[in-house]
Amino acid sequence: MTYKVEDFNYYLPPELIAQKPIRPRDHSRLLLLDRTKEEIFHRYFYNIVDYLRPGDLLVLNNSKVFPARLLGKKAETGGSVEIFLHKKIISGEKQNNGQMEKNNIWECLVGGRVKIGLVINFSQKLQALILKNNSDGTWLIKFNLSGENFWQLVNKIGEVPLPPYIKRLKKEVSDKNNYQTVFADNYKIGSVAAPTAGLHFTKALLKKIKARGVKIEYITLHVGLGTFAPMKTENITDHRMHSEFAEVSARTSQAVLATKKKGGRVIAVGTTTCRTLESINWPEINRGRNKSIQPSFWTGIFIYPGYHFKIIDALITNFHLPKSTLLLLVSALAGKNKIDRAYQEAIDKKYRFFSYGDAMFIY
């Protein structure tokens, strides 16, 4: 069946958009969708342990959110500009000749009117120069600092880029911790949005899961525009994903293959983990003498109904925005009719939606 983007629209009462996380993290609600029996159950997230089996493999995204929202002033006029760091293009890394590359150029979203050649001041030490309009909603911007000097200032003056549906009269310091998973530790590039399915886990819950005989491994996908960019096309197949940087270690690759060989389930925590695992050429890794053929790569994989899943068996995820690529992904896994039914039941039972909202287990 051929779908259009509008087929994945639904009405969500505004009061169901979660504005703050549940405390403790694992006390959010959990909707369980058994796609084989076509049954729906309602529990709390800490009950997820009861639905995992010894021999399963749980794969999580350990990318760390960084404060990618920078507020600055135009050097010419003093007018306000908002810069949203999206993708690092050139950084202060060592080159082949051993010298340090001084340029630090990013692909950014920009709030406010800008032009090529404009200088923006973020602090007494941090400045940026507008280099190019990419004509796709992003701009190339060069910063005057790189390396640790750049990151120290960004961590000091930057703000956590919460999604626009989370309304804040002023920034809350607690968001820097709340909008971060307890297992985040990969900061080579960083994410501009949290892999939100992972927000429900506590360290204590992860210990219980391990004690049940479930293996836990990690991938890294640095969340960028590809995850949350709106679909502006009428036809699904006309949409193009922005690419995102991913890393999968040999250890994780081999754990995936060993789990499949033994008949266990590979359970992705979040759509970012799902997309990363589905981007890999598993037959090649299986022939690769226990080595990940391509441990790091850029992925622009777009999963929508009709896609044949290669490796994942189940998915832990949040509830997603209407007409989003994430909603298409879960519909591809469970079937559109089942997802429609599950979402309507979640709305009827007043589940909390989106980034700080409740969770769903599709198995």
Side-chain angles (χ1 to χ4, degrees):
M1 181 175 181
T2 302
Y3 292 107
K4 293 187 179 296
V5 173
E6 186 59 37
D7 294 327
F8 295 86
N9 198 4
Y10 67 90
Y11 174 72
L12 179 71
E15 64 270 18
L16 297 186
I17 300 175
Q19 298 299 307
K20 293 186 177 181
I22 291 292
R23 285 286 178 243
R25 290 173 181 248
D26 60 359
H27 279 53
S28 58
R29 295 168 74 184
L30 176 66
L31 184 149
L32 298 124
L33 173 58
D34 186 327
R35 55 195 171 120
T36 302
K37 296 180 180 179
E38 300 189 23
E39 295 178 334
I40 295 174
F41 307 96
H42 303 280
R43 301 289 187 270
Y44 289 93
F45 195 79
Y46 52 76
N47 298 129
I48 191 69
V49 178
D50 301 328
Y51 295 88
L52 302 177
R53 309 168 189 156
D56 283 345
L57 172 66
L58 199 67
V59 187
L60 304 101
N61 182 2
N62 65 2
S63 182
K64 194 170 186 177
V65 180
F66 73 99
R69 183 171 178 252
L70 301 176
L71 304 178
K73 298 288 186 182
K74 299 177 185 178
E76 293 178 355
T77 64
S80 296
V81 181
E82 178 179 317
I83 301 296
F84 189 101
L85 299 171
H86 168 231
K87 183 191 296 183
K88 187 188 295 184
I89 305 300
I90 301 176
S91 62
E93 301 291 340
K94 280 190 176 181
Q95 305 302 300
N96 291 334
N97 60 7
Q99 299 298 312
M100 289 299 292
E101 171 60 66
K102 297 299 183 184
N103 288 332
N104 184 17
I105 298 175
W106 285 71
E107 182 180 277
C108 303
L109 296 175
V110 178
R113 290 187 176 183
V114 297
K115 61 183 180 181
I116 295 172
L118 179 71
V119 174
I120 304 169
N121 295 317
F122 299 101
S123 70
Q124 290 183 339
K125 294 182 179 180
L126 186 61
Q127 285 185 335
L129 174 66
I130 305 291
L131 296 181
K132 179 184 177 184
N133 184 349
N134 291 326
S135 300
D136 63 356
T138 67
W139 295 73
L140 284 187
I141 298 179
K142 177 181 177 180
F143 290 87
N144 65 320
L145 298 177
S146 63
E148 284 302 314
N149 292 331
F150 173 75
W151 284 110
Q152 285 176 7
L153 274 176
V154 166
N155 283 315
K156 182 178 180 181
I157 67 176
E159 295 183 5
V160 173
L162 293 176
Y165 48 77
I166 296 179
K167 308 298 182 183
R168 292 278 189 271
L169 295 177
K170 60 179 181 179
K171 66 178 182 179
E172 295 184 9
V173 175
S174 61
D175 282 319
K176 283 197 173 183
N177 292 322
N178 293 338
Y179 199 57
Q180 196 83 266
T181 64
V182 297
F183 47 81
D185 68 356
N186 196 319
Y187 216 153
K188 287 182 181 179
I189 299 175
S191 286
V192 299
T196 53
L199 295 178
H200 303 283
F201 288 88
T202 64
K203 291 182 178 180
L205 181 59
L206 289 170
K207 287 182 180 179
K208 288 182 180 179
I209 291 171
K210 284 184 178 180
R212 187 171 175 80
V214 176
K215 191 173 181 62
I216 297 177
E217 294 293 347
Y218 300 89
I219 58 89
T220 300
L221 182 132
H222 294 305
V223 185
L225 289 178
T227 294
F228 59 86
M231 299 182 68
K232 298 179 180 179
T233 61
E234 180 181 354
N235 296 314
I236 289 173
T237 52
D238 291 335
H239 178 73
R240 292 295 177 266
M241 299 284 285
H242 287 259
S243 61
E244 296 165 306
F245 186 75
E247 294 178 296
V248 180
S249 68
R251 169 174 166 162
T252 296
S253 297
Q254 293 309 308
V256 168
L257 292 173
T259 299
K260 300 296 282 189
K261 185 176 181 180
K262 294 178 181 178
R265 297 178 300 175
V266 174
I267 302 170
V269 177
T271 56
T272 57
T273 300
C274 172
R275 291 177 61 242
T276 301
L277 293 177
E278 291 295 316
S279 296
I280 295 171
N281 188 332
W282 289 104
E284 283 298 310
I285 292 180
N286 205 17
R287 294 191 291 265
R289 298 180 183 177
N290 296 332
K291 292 182 180 179
S292 180
I293 297 297
Q294 196 175 21
S296 63
F297 52 91
W298 289 86
T299 179
I301 189 173
F302 180 24
I303 297 175
Y304 53 88
Y307 177 84
H308 177 68
F309 285 83
K310 297 179 292 185
I311 206 74
I312 76 155
D313 302 291
L315 174 68
I316 296 171
T317 187
N318 279 23
F319 292 91
H320 305 296
L321 275 73
K323 299 194 290 187
S324 65
T325 60
L326 308 183
L327 183 57
L328 268 66
L329 186 153
V330 297
S331 297
L333 180 64
K336 184 179 183 301
N337 291 338
K338 295 172 192 174
I339 289 296
D340 288 347
R341 177 189 163 204
Y343 269 56
Q344 188 56 56
E345 188 158 330
I347 291 170
D348 293 342
K349 292 186 177 295
K350 300 189 183 304
Y351 272 65
R352 301 163 71 253
F353 276 60
F354 308 157
S355 293
Y356 275 156
D358 295 316
M360 184 178 190
F361 184 33
I362 304 170
Y363 62 101

